[in-house]
Amino acid sequence: MLAPAPSPTGLAAASARRAPGHGLRGPPGRASRPGWSACAWSPSTWSWARPWSWCTPATSGSRTRRKAASATCPSPTRTQCGGQRRPWHTDDRHCDSGAPASLQREHAHYFGYVYFRQVKDSSARRGYFQKSLVLVSRLPFVRLFQALLSLVAPEYFDKLTPCLEAVCNEIDQWPAPVPGQTLNLPVMGVVLQVHIPSRVDKPESGPPAQRSHENLLPAPVVLSSVHELDLFRCFQPVLAHVQMLWELVLLGEPLVVLAPSPAVSSEMVLALTSCLQPLKFCCDYRPYFTVHDSEFKEFTTRTQAPPNVVLGVTNPFFIKTLQHWPHILRVGEPRMSGDLPKQVKLKKPSRLKTLDTKPGLYTAYTAHLHRDKALLRRLLKGLQKKRPSDVQTALLRRHLLELTQSFIFPLEHYMASLMPLQKSITPWKTPPQIRPFRQDDFLRSLEHAGPQLTCVLKGDWLGLYRRFFKSPHFDGWYRQRRKEMAQKLEALHLEAICEANIEVWMKGKSEVEVVDLVLKLRERLVRAQGHQLPVKEATLKQARLYIETVISSLPKDLQVILCPP
């Protein structure tokens, strides 16, 4: 395996998350030169990876140079390499249908993964040689693309375009990232073995076991996850407040993370957004935000309330410009020692006045739930016994998973009660409607079916649910669940039609009614075949047979219209 370039070198994972058209475009065709960055770009299912001239020059100062390397990426308007490539979105619908909600593609955003290199060079005007390699993808596979950039970037900096062309050709041959599959991905003489998460995967209580190497030569490098970060390392300075941070993220509160570097900023923001799994994070988040962003004025204005965004920044200037935001988390440089870093303290926002503000969580928020002191004791004991970081991460992730599940289960239970009974679905009538979600009825149901059944934590659960109802996460969860229930209802109705005797129904029906049935059955077949309805293949086969039977009973002129040659 190739090693990363010597320090100072930075790998900022997902340090840019942009909507198309927001800081993404730049003039194509400019030649790269020292002080400018290169972008990896390729029209494939996995990512874009083609050489591209950069549109933002690096500026002086180490922190500023890192910003320039990971702030913006150009749009895929033209590539410098020829050859036919399959469109990156070929298998989007199929891949998303089986993926966990938190890993489904967001078609309004790209993820940018950046490897930044800076070395002293006396011949350069500013005394440093600096360059970045950026990988842009719709896939939020942080761990996988970190590993990929660690392999590719050092070689690219030495060999430039030929190296990148070879890597692009290898990536173009990778199989589609279908959920549930274990893939071997060859690149630069190394095979990366990864498992693509599926929504049917069960959460693992410990570090994932390595899968079979299948006698591959060379032996593959097994990645335990394509997307999960080292949660324990990310949350080390805030372990005492991780539950309060979970509440803030759950409620979609505006939150600023002020970190010493883009890498720390990116990882902290991504760790925060991942702590709600299996609930999908429905707010906006920016792992690395700079003063050059097009939304800088929108986020810093005091004429309106801050948006529901988790914002990662490194410039101390933001302490002043974002002082009106209700929650600001400032973290220091990560410590590599075996001891638990000094925990940040809770502080009032009024103390956030100077540019040299110390690390801390600046908020007036009061947690609804009591802190789980047993978890903190277990993690501290693990540090004393030098327990591996991946085991510590598994403990922390399990705690957050169970906390989120305990919160969501009552909502799921109540939502299921709104579904019409299957016996009320008849083949030749419009299926009954899903009953509306009534917040007061749900809150009353918590007395006998609340989170206290699965969670030992005490606190104001009712107050937490009331605030959750006003958050983007409730709206996103409810819309998704209602959509799934409507699809299930439609599938059950289709099954009821296929189980009925269609010839009996056709007796005495007008041609208009028969044609209407054909059109509706065809529409549902199209939806089912597009992975939008949970229907068995036997049902689909029966539906096609019914369509043929119905059409054959119509006059010849209508048959020609419905089944053109």
Side-chain angles (χ1 to χ4, degrees):
M1 179 185 292
L2 296 171
S7 181
T9 299
L11 181 61
S15 53
R17 179 180 180 270
R18 306 291 171 145
H22 287 237
L24 284 169
R25 295 191 180 276
R30 295 184 182 176
S32 294
R33 60 180 185 271
W36 292 65
S37 300
C39 181
W41 199 273
S42 140
S44 72
T45 305
W46 283 91
S47 63
W48 288 303
R50 280 282 179 261
W52 197 278
S53 58
W54 196 247
C55 57
T56 308
T59 53
S60 59
S62 176
R63 180 176 286 130
T64 308
R65 282 194 285 269
R66 282 173 175 261
K67 288 178 184 174
S70 54
T72 58
C73 296
S75 280
T77 54
R78 183 174 68 86
T79 61
Q80 296 177 345
C81 298
Q84 286 293 108
R85 300 285 181 255
R86 67 182 184 273
W88 66 270
H89 51 75
T90 302
D91 299 311
D92 266 13
R93 182 176 295 179
H94 177 62
C95 293
D96 280 347
S97 64
S102 58
L103 291 181
Q104 292 177 0
R105 291 170 175 81
E106 298 181 50
H107 297 290
H109 291 94
Y110 301 112
F111 292 88
Y113 304 88
V114 184
Y115 191 106
F116 174 66
R117 186 183 195 183
Q118 181 190 71
V119 293
K120 288 186 177 181
D121 185 355
S122 57
S123 63
R125 184 164 59 89
R126 294 190 176 96
Y128 286 92
F129 166 85
Q130 55 193 29
K131 210 162 196 175
S132 292
L133 186 65
V134 183
L135 187 150
V136 181
S137 176
R138 298 269 192 194
L139 298 168
F141 292 168
V142 183
R143 289 275 294 279
L144 172 60
F145 291 133
Q146 275 185 332
L148 180 60
L149 280 176
S150 295
L151 286 169
V152 176
E155 285 290 297
Y156 167 71
F157 293 146
D158 293 335
K159 300 176 182 176
L160 300 180
T161 303
C163 167
L164 203 56
E165 288 181 358
V167 170
C168 291
N169 290 331
E170 289 184 297
I171 292 177
D172 283 336
Q173 303 304 315
W174 285 3
V178 178
Q181 291 191 359
T182 297
L183 306 178
N184 294 305
L185 309 176
V187 60
M188 296 185 65
V190 176
V191 177
L192 300 176
Q193 188 177 93
V194 298
H195 176 72
I196 306 301
S198 166
R199 63 171 58 194
V200 299
D201 290 345
K202 294 182 179 179
E204 298 179 85
S205 57
Q210 292 192 355
R211 292 170 173 83
S212 171
H213 290 180
E214 302 178 9
N215 300 320
L216 292 175
L217 292 175
V221 176
V222 180
L223 299 183
S224 59
S225 170
V226 293
H227 67 287
E228 292 179 341
L229 297 170
D230 187 340
L231 212 59
F232 179 71
R233 179 174 57 81
C234 295
F235 282 156
Q236 267 198 354
V238 295
L239 283 177
H241 311 296
V242 70
Q243 206 161 288
M244 175 181 282
L245 289 169
W246 174 84
E247 286 191 25
L248 292 175
V249 175
L250 177 72
L251 300 177
E253 289 287 312
L255 175 63
V256 177
V257 175
L258 181 59
S261 70
V264 175
S265 164
S266 298
E267 290 195 339
M268 180 61 80
V269 170
L270 291 171
L272 288 169
T273 59
S274 71
C275 70
L276 293 186
Q277 292 179 3
L279 185 67
K280 183 175 182 178
F281 187 84
C282 296
C283 297
D284 195 3
Y285 61 99
R286 306 300 171 87
Y288 180 45
F289 188 81
T290 76
V291 295
H292 304 293
D293 263 271
S294 58
E295 290 147 314
F296 174 77
K297 289 184 179 179
E298 177 188 343
F299 287 174
T300 56
T301 182
R302 294 173 183 262
T303 59
Q304 60 188 25
N308 302 101
V309 180
V310 180
L311 211 60
V313 300
T314 59
N315 193 335
F317 173 71
F318 280 108
I319 293 180
K320 181 179 180 180
T321 57
L322 299 178
Q323 195 172 10
H324 61 291
W325 280 50
H327 320 287
I328 297 179
L329 172 63
R330 178 155 192 181
V331 293
E333 290 285 354
R335 291 179 55 182
M336 304 303 293
S337 64
D339 299 329
L340 186 69
K342 184 178 180 181
Q343 297 293 288
V344 301
K345 296 181 179 180
L346 282 179
K347 300 180 181 182
K348 298 295 182 183
S350 58
R351 299 183 61 182
L352 193 69
K353 294 181 179 179
T354 61
L355 292 179
D356 59 346
T357 301
K358 295 180 179 179
L361 178 55
Y362 295 82
T363 179
Y365 178 82
T366 302
H368 289 80
L369 305 181
H370 300 163
R371 185 186 303 175
D372 189 345
K373 297 180 180 179
L375 171 70
L376 193 57
R377 285 196 297 268
R378 290 181 69 188
L379 294 174
L380 287 173
K381 188 175 181 180
L383 275 176
Q384 294 170 357
K385 294 185 174 181
K386 301 188 183 302
R387 186 185 293 155
S389 181
D390 56 353
V391 179
Q392 295 279 78
T393 289
L395 287 173
L396 183 56
R397 194 177 299 280
R398 168 62 64 176
H399 169 77
L400 293 172
L401 174 67
E402 291 176 349
L403 185 58
T404 304
Q405 287 178 332
S406 295
F407 183 84
I408 292 297
F409 279 167
L411 288 163
E412 295 282 358
H413 183 267
Y414 175 75
M415 194 72 184
S417 70
L418 305 179
M419 183 77 170
L421 297 176
Q422 187 168 351
K423 65 181 181 181
S424 66
I425 301 172
T426 56
W428 313 121
K429 292 183 180 179
T430 302
Q433 296 293 310
I434 300 170
R435 293 189 294 278
F437 189 105
R438 302 187 186 281
Q439 296 181 11
D440 290 340
D441 290 347
F442 166 75
L443 293 175
R444 282 193 291 269
S445 73
L446 293 179
E447 184 176 350
H448 59 272
Q452 71 275 5
L453 299 179
T454 55
C455 186
V456 297
L457 293 180
K458 306 296 182 182
D460 183 14
W461 287 98
L462 285 177
L464 187 59
Y465 279 112
R466 288 193 179 97
R467 290 195 62 169
F468 178 70
F469 289 146
K470 302 174 184 177
S471 75
H473 291 122
F474 171 72
D475 182 67
W477 170 83
Y478 176 71
R479 287 175 182 271
Q480 180 62 29
R481 290 293 292 117
R482 188 173 179 83
K483 177 183 175 182
E484 292 172 355
M485 290 170 66
Q487 290 175 348
K488 180 64 176 176
L489 197 59
E490 192 173 347
L492 291 173
H493 189 230
L494 181 59
E495 289 179 7
I497 292 174
C498 292
E499 291 171 0
N501 190 328
I502 198 166
E503 293 179 353
V504 173
W505 175 84
M506 288 170 56
K507 291 179 180 179
K509 295 295 186 295
S510 66
E511 291 180 357
V512 173
E513 291 175 297
V514 174
V515 171
D516 184 60
L517 175 64
V518 171
L519 296 177
K520 287 183 177 178
L521 282 176
R522 279 184 171 173
E523 180 186 355
R524 294 189 183 182
L525 274 177
V526 170
R527 284 167 54 79
Q529 290 169 343
H531 304 283
Q532 295 180 8
L533 292 182
V535 181
K536 298 177 182 178
E537 184 59 35
T539 303
L540 297 179
K541 186 177 180 180
Q542 185 65 33
R544 295 188 195 101
L545 183 61
Y546 273 11
I547 291 174
E548 294 175 3
T549 303
V550 172
I551 291 177
S552 64
S553 70
L554 294 170
K556 293 293 183 181
D557 57 338
L558 282 178
Q559 291 186 31
V560 172
I561 294 173
L562 292 173
C563 295

PDB file of all heavy atoms in Angstrom, residues 246-272:
ATOM      1  N   TRP A 246     -26.535  15.034  20.835  1.00  0.00           N
ATOM      2  CA  TRP A 246     -27.510  14.176  20.155  1.00  0.00           C
ATOM      3  C   TRP A 246     -28.883  14.846  20.127  1.00  0.00           C
ATOM      4  O   TRP A 246     -29.564  14.829  19.094  1.00  0.00           O
ATOM      5  CB  TRP A 246     -27.585  12.824  20.869  1.00  0.00           C
ATOM      6  CG  TRP A 246     -28.648  11.904  20.347  1.00  0.00           C
ATOM      7  CD1 TRP A 246     -28.558  11.063  19.272  1.00  0.00           C
ATOM      8  CD2 TRP A 246     -29.978  11.739  20.862  1.00  0.00           C
ATOM      9  NE1 TRP A 246     -29.745  10.380  19.095  1.00  0.00           N
ATOM     10  CE2 TRP A 246     -30.630  10.774  20.048  1.00  0.00           C
ATOM     11  CE3 TRP A 246     -30.682  12.310  21.928  1.00  0.00           C
ATOM     12  CZ2 TRP A 246     -31.938  10.369  20.278  1.00  0.00           C
ATOM     13  CZ3 TRP A 246     -31.994  11.910  22.156  1.00  0.00           C
ATOM     14  CH2 TRP A 246     -32.604  10.947  21.351  1.00  0.00           C
ATOM     15  N   GLU A 247     -29.281  15.457  21.236  1.00  0.00           N
ATOM     16  CA  GLU A 247     -30.571  16.153  21.277  1.00  0.00           C
ATOM     17  C   GLU A 247     -30.587  17.341  20.320  1.00  0.00           C
ATOM     18  O   GLU A 247     -31.567  17.557  19.589  1.00  0.00           O
ATOM     19  CB  GLU A 247     -30.880  16.631  22.703  1.00  0.00           C
ATOM     20  CG  GLU A 247     -31.298  15.524  23.652  1.00  0.00           C
ATOM     21  CD  GLU A 247     -31.839  16.074  24.972  1.00  0.00           C
ATOM     22  OE1 GLU A 247     -32.334  17.231  24.979  1.00  0.00           O
ATOM     23  OE2 GLU A 247     -31.765  15.358  25.994  1.00  0.00           O
ATOM     24  N   LEU A 248     -29.523  18.116  20.298  1.00  0.00           N
ATOM     25  CA  LEU A 248     -29.461  19.283  19.412  1.00  0.00           C
ATOM     26  C   LEU A 248     -29.563  18.865  17.954  1.00  0.00           C
ATOM     27  O   LEU A 248     -30.259  19.497  17.155  1.00  0.00           O
ATOM     28  CB  LEU A 248     -28.158  20.065  19.651  1.00  0.00           C
ATOM     29  CG  LEU A 248     -28.016  20.768  21.006  1.00  0.00           C
ATOM     30  CD1 LEU A 248     -26.638  21.398  21.132  1.00  0.00           C
ATOM     31  CD2 LEU A 248     -29.108  21.825  21.176  1.00  0.00           C
ATOM     32  N   VAL A 249     -28.866  17.770  17.602  1.00  0.00           N
ATOM     33  CA  VAL A 249     -28.916  17.283  16.226  1.00  0.00           C
ATOM     34  C   VAL A 249     -30.298  16.717  15.916  1.00  0.00           C
ATOM     35  O   VAL A 249     -30.860  16.953  14.843  1.00  0.00           O
ATOM     36  CB  VAL A 249     -27.824  16.219  15.996  1.00  0.00           C
ATOM     37  CG1 VAL A 249     -27.950  15.610  14.602  1.00  0.00           C
ATOM     38  CG2 VAL A 249     -26.437  16.836  16.155  1.00  0.00           C
ATOM     39  N   LEU A 250     -30.879  15.972  16.855  1.00  0.00           N
ATOM     40  CA  LEU A 250     -32.211  15.401  16.667  1.00  0.00           C
ATOM     41  C   LEU A 250     -33.250  16.490  16.410  1.00  0.00           C
ATOM     42  O   LEU A 250     -34.137  16.328  15.563  1.00  0.00           O
ATOM     43  CB  LEU A 250     -32.601  14.586  17.905  1.00  0.00           C
ATOM     44  CG  LEU A 250     -34.005  13.978  17.909  1.00  0.00           C
ATOM     45  CD1 LEU A 250     -34.086  12.812  16.934  1.00  0.00           C
ATOM     46  CD2 LEU A 250     -34.393  13.526  19.321  1.00  0.00           C
ATOM     47  N   LEU A 251     -33.124  17.606  17.106  1.00  0.00           N
ATOM     48  CA  LEU A 251     -34.099  18.694  16.985  1.00  0.00           C
ATOM     49  C   LEU A 251     -33.785  19.627  15.824  1.00  0.00           C
ATOM     50  O   LEU A 251     -34.525  20.583  15.582  1.00  0.00           O
ATOM     51  CB  LEU A 251     -34.152  19.488  18.300  1.00  0.00           C
ATOM     52  CG  LEU A 251     -34.564  18.692  19.535  1.00  0.00           C
ATOM     53  CD1 LEU A 251     -34.498  19.554  20.775  1.00  0.00           C
ATOM     54  CD2 LEU A 251     -35.961  18.101  19.356  1.00  0.00           C
ATOM     55  N   GLY A 252     -32.699  19.359  15.113  1.00  0.00           N
ATOM     56  CA  GLY A 252     -32.351  20.184  13.956  1.00  0.00           C
ATOM     57  C   GLY A 252     -31.940  21.589  14.331  1.00  0.00           C
ATOM     58  O   GLY A 252     -32.147  22.529  13.550  1.00  0.00           O
ATOM     59  N   GLU A 253     -31.332  21.741  15.485  1.00  0.00           N
ATOM     60  CA  GLU A 253     -30.921  23.066  15.940  1.00  0.00           C
ATOM     61  C   GLU A 253     -29.728  23.589  15.133  1.00  0.00           C
ATOM     62  O   GLU A 253     -28.847  22.814  14.739  1.00  0.00           O
ATOM     63  CB  GLU A 253     -30.543  23.020  17.421  1.00  0.00           C
ATOM     64  CG  GLU A 253     -31.716  22.837  18.356  1.00  0.00           C
ATOM     65  CD  GLU A 253     -32.567  24.095  18.461  1.00  0.00           C
ATOM     66  OE1 GLU A 253     -31.995  25.185  18.650  1.00  0.00           O
ATOM     67  OE2 GLU A 253     -33.798  23.985  18.337  1.00  0.00           O
ATOM     68  N   PRO A 254     -29.676  24.909  14.863  1.00  0.00           N
ATOM     69  CA  PRO A 254     -28.490  25.486  14.199  1.00  0.00           C
ATOM     70  C   PRO A 254     -27.258  25.315  15.082  1.00  0.00           C
ATOM     71  O   PRO A 254     -27.276  25.689  16.260  1.00  0.00           O
ATOM     72  CB  PRO A 254     -28.860  26.969  14.041  1.00  0.00           C
ATOM     73  CG  PRO A 254     -30.352  27.033  14.207  1.00  0.00           C
ATOM     74  CD  PRO A 254     -30.704  25.913  15.139  1.00  0.00           C
ATOM     75  N   LEU A 255     -26.208  24.735  14.543  1.00  0.00           N
ATOM     76  CA  LEU A 255     -25.024  24.410  15.330  1.00  0.00           C
ATOM     77  C   LEU A 255     -23.767  24.722  14.533  1.00  0.00           C
ATOM     78  O   LEU A 255     -23.644  24.313  13.375  1.00  0.00           O
ATOM     79  CB  LEU A 255     -25.054  22.930  15.723  1.00  0.00           C
ATOM     80  CG  LEU A 255     -23.838  22.357  16.464  1.00  0.00           C
ATOM     81  CD1 LEU A 255     -23.651  23.044  17.814  1.00  0.00           C
ATOM     82  CD2 LEU A 255     -23.983  20.851  16.651  1.00  0.00           C
ATOM     83  N   VAL A 256     -22.840  25.445  15.151  1.00  0.00           N
ATOM     84  CA  VAL A 256     -21.556  25.765  14.532  1.00  0.00           C
ATOM     85  C   VAL A 256     -20.466  24.960  15.226  1.00  0.00           C
ATOM     86  O   VAL A 256     -20.405  24.917  16.463  1.00  0.00           O
ATOM     87  CB  VAL A 256     -21.226  27.271  14.649  1.00  0.00           C
ATOM     88  CG1 VAL A 256     -19.846  27.560  14.053  1.00  0.00           C
ATOM     89  CG2 VAL A 256     -22.278  28.099  13.938  1.00  0.00           C
ATOM     90  N   VAL A 257     -19.622  24.310  14.437  1.00  0.00           N
ATOM     91  CA  VAL A 257     -18.445  23.609  14.957  1.00  0.00           C
ATOM     92  C   VAL A 257     -17.219  24.401  14.521  1.00  0.00           C
ATOM     93  O   VAL A 257     -16.933  24.502  13.326  1.00  0.00           O
ATOM     94  CB  VAL A 257     -18.355  22.172  14.424  1.00  0.00           C
ATOM     95  CG1 VAL A 257     -17.059  21.515  14.879  1.00  0.00           C
ATOM     96  CG2 VAL A 257     -19.557  21.351  14.892  1.00  0.00           C
ATOM     97  N   LEU A 258     -16.513  24.993  15.477  1.00  0.00           N
ATOM     98  CA  LEU A 258     -15.300  25.747  15.182  1.00  0.00           C
ATOM     99  C   LEU A 258     -14.109  24.870  15.534  1.00  0.00           C
ATOM    100  O   LEU A 258     -13.890  24.537  16.698  1.00  0.00           O
ATOM    101  CB  LEU A 258     -15.259  27.050  15.981  1.00  0.00           C
ATOM    102  CG  LEU A 258     -14.045  27.948  15.753  1.00  0.00           C
ATOM    103  CD1 LEU A 258     -13.932  28.365  14.292  1.00  0.00           C
ATOM    104  CD2 LEU A 258     -14.105  29.184  16.642  1.00  0.00           C
ATOM    105  N   ALA A 259     -13.347  24.468  14.520  1.00  0.00           N
ATOM    106  CA  ALA A 259     -12.257  23.504  14.698  1.00  0.00           C
ATOM    107  C   ALA A 259     -10.936  24.107  14.227  1.00  0.00           C
ATOM    108  O   ALA A 259     -10.921  25.099  13.497  1.00  0.00           O
ATOM    109  CB  ALA A 259     -12.572  22.221  13.919  1.00  0.00           C
ATOM    110  N   PRO A 260      -9.817  23.489  14.611  1.00  0.00           N
ATOM    111  CA  PRO A 260      -8.506  24.024  14.224  1.00  0.00           C
ATOM    112  C   PRO A 260      -8.098  23.714  12.793  1.00  0.00           C
ATOM    113  O   PRO A 260      -7.146  24.291  12.293  1.00  0.00           O
ATOM    114  CB  PRO A 260      -7.551  23.360  15.229  1.00  0.00           C
ATOM    115  CG  PRO A 260      -8.231  22.095  15.618  1.00  0.00           C
ATOM    116  CD  PRO A 260      -9.692  22.393  15.594  1.00  0.00           C
ATOM    117  N   SER A 261      -8.778  22.759  12.120  1.00  0.00           N
ATOM    118  CA  SER A 261      -8.383  22.392  10.763  1.00  0.00           C
ATOM    119  C   SER A 261      -9.598  21.876  10.007  1.00  0.00           C
ATOM    120  O   SER A 261     -10.584  21.446  10.622  1.00  0.00           O
ATOM    121  CB  SER A 261      -7.300  21.309  10.789  1.00  0.00           C
ATOM    122  OG  SER A 261      -7.844  20.073  11.238  1.00  0.00           O
ATOM    123  N   PRO A 262      -9.550  21.898   8.661  1.00  0.00           N
ATOM    124  CA  PRO A 262     -10.670  21.352   7.886  1.00  0.00           C
ATOM    125  C   PRO A 262     -10.935  19.878   8.175  1.00  0.00           C
ATOM    126  O   PRO A 262     -12.086  19.449   8.171  1.00  0.00           O
ATOM    127  CB  PRO A 262     -10.227  21.560   6.435  1.00  0.00           C
ATOM    128  CG  PRO A 262      -9.266  22.695   6.479  1.00  0.00           C
ATOM    129  CD  PRO A 262      -8.549  22.557   7.790  1.00  0.00           C
ATOM    130  N   ALA A 263      -9.880  19.096   8.416  1.00  0.00           N
ATOM    131  CA  ALA A 263     -10.071  17.674   8.692  1.00  0.00           C
ATOM    132  C   ALA A 263     -10.853  17.467   9.980  1.00  0.00           C
ATOM    133  O   ALA A 263     -11.790  16.663  10.037  1.00  0.00           O
ATOM    134  CB  ALA A 263      -8.716  16.968   8.764  1.00  0.00           C
ATOM    135  N   VAL A 264     -10.495  18.193  11.045  1.00  0.00           N
ATOM    136  CA  VAL A 264     -11.200  18.065  12.329  1.00  0.00           C
ATOM    137  C   VAL A 264     -12.625  18.579  12.195  1.00  0.00           C
ATOM    138  O   VAL A 264     -13.580  17.970  12.695  1.00  0.00           O
ATOM    139  CB  VAL A 264     -10.442  18.823  13.437  1.00  0.00           C
ATOM    140  CG1 VAL A 264     -11.232  18.789  14.739  1.00  0.00           C
ATOM    141  CG2 VAL A 264      -9.063  18.224  13.645  1.00  0.00           C
ATOM    142  N   SER A 265     -12.789  19.701  11.489  1.00  0.00           N
ATOM    143  CA  SER A 265     -14.119  20.261  11.264  1.00  0.00           C
ATOM    144  C   SER A 265     -15.009  19.274  10.528  1.00  0.00           C
ATOM    145  O   SER A 265     -16.145  19.008  10.927  1.00  0.00           O
ATOM    146  CB  SER A 265     -13.998  21.564  10.460  1.00  0.00           C
ATOM    147  OG  SER A 265     -15.227  21.946   9.914  1.00  0.00           O
ATOM    148  N   SER A 266     -14.483  18.701   9.431  1.00  0.00           N
ATOM    149  CA  SER A 266     -15.263  17.765   8.616  1.00  0.00           C
ATOM    150  C   SER A 266     -15.670  16.537   9.416  1.00  0.00           C
ATOM    151  O   SER A 266     -16.835  16.107   9.381  1.00  0.00           O
ATOM    152  CB  SER A 266     -14.458  17.336   7.391  1.00  0.00           C
ATOM    153  OG  SER A 266     -14.165  18.425   6.558  1.00  0.00           O
ATOM    154  N   GLU A 267     -14.716  15.956  10.130  1.00  0.00           N
ATOM    155  CA  GLU A 267     -15.011  14.728  10.870  1.00  0.00           C
ATOM    156  C   GLU A 267     -15.998  14.972  12.004  1.00  0.00           C
ATOM    157  O   GLU A 267     -16.869  14.130  12.252  1.00  0.00           O
ATOM    158  CB  GLU A 267     -13.718  14.117  11.391  1.00  0.00           C
ATOM    159  CG  GLU A 267     -12.839  13.535  10.294  1.00  0.00           C
ATOM    160  CD  GLU A 267     -11.761  12.617  10.824  1.00  0.00           C
ATOM    161  OE1 GLU A 267     -11.433  12.722  12.016  1.00  0.00           O
ATOM    162  OE2 GLU A 267     -11.269  11.783  10.041  1.00  0.00           O
ATOM    163  N   MET A 268     -15.902  16.111  12.680  1.00  0.00           N
ATOM    164  CA  MET A 268     -16.833  16.392  13.768  1.00  0.00           C
ATOM    165  C   MET A 268     -18.250  16.587  13.231  1.00  0.00           C
ATOM    166  O   MET A 268     -19.225  16.050  13.794  1.00  0.00           O
ATOM    167  CB  MET A 268     -16.399  17.631  14.549  1.00  0.00           C
ATOM    168  CG  MET A 268     -17.325  17.998  15.701  1.00  0.00           C
ATOM    169  SD  MET A 268     -17.464  16.719  16.977  1.00  0.00           S
ATOM    170  CE  MET A 268     -15.959  17.021  17.905  1.00  0.00           C
ATOM    171  N   VAL A 269     -18.394  17.325  12.142  1.00  0.00           N
ATOM    172  CA  VAL A 269     -19.718  17.539  11.556  1.00  0.00           C
ATOM    173  C   VAL A 269     -20.307  16.214  11.073  1.00  0.00           C
ATOM    174  O   VAL A 269     -21.482  15.912  11.314  1.00  0.00           O
ATOM    175  CB  VAL A 269     -19.647  18.559  10.401  1.00  0.00           C
ATOM    176  CG1 VAL A 269     -20.977  18.603   9.642  1.00  0.00           C
ATOM    177  CG2 VAL A 269     -19.309  19.945  10.936  1.00  0.00           C
ATOM    178  N   LEU A 270     -19.501  15.400  10.393  1.00  0.00           N
ATOM    179  CA  LEU A 270     -19.991  14.112   9.902  1.00  0.00           C
ATOM    180  C   LEU A 270     -20.336  13.165  11.050  1.00  0.00           C
ATOM    181  O   LEU A 270     -21.292  12.391  10.969  1.00  0.00           O
ATOM    182  CB  LEU A 270     -18.951  13.470   8.982  1.00  0.00           C
ATOM    183  CG  LEU A 270     -18.737  14.184   7.640  1.00  0.00           C
ATOM    184  CD1 LEU A 270     -17.546  13.600   6.906  1.00  0.00           C
ATOM    185  CD2 LEU A 270     -19.979  14.080   6.778  1.00  0.00           C
ATOM    186  N   ALA A 271     -19.552  13.226  12.125  1.00  0.00           N
ATOM    187  CA  ALA A 271     -19.857  12.397  13.296  1.00  0.00           C
ATOM    188  C   ALA A 271     -21.193  12.816  13.916  1.00  0.00           C
ATOM    189  O   ALA A 271     -22.009  11.968  14.310  1.00  0.00           O
ATOM    190  CB  ALA A 271     -18.735  12.510  14.317  1.00  0.00           C
ATOM    191  N   LEU A 272     -21.434  14.121  13.992  1.00  0.00           N
ATOM    192  CA  LEU A 272     -22.695  14.611  14.554  1.00  0.00           C
ATOM    193  C   LEU A 272     -23.885  14.184  13.702  1.00  0.00           C
ATOM    194  O   LEU A 272     -24.912  13.742  14.228  1.00  0.00           O
ATOM    195  CB  LEU A 272     -22.652  16.137  14.674  1.00  0.00           C
ATOM    196  CG  LEU A 272     -21.744  16.709  15.769  1.00  0.00           C
ATOM    197  CD1 LEU A 272     -21.575  18.205  15.606  1.00  0.00           C
ATOM    198  CD2 LEU A 272     -22.303  16.390  17.153  1.00  0.00           C
TER     199      LEU A 272
END
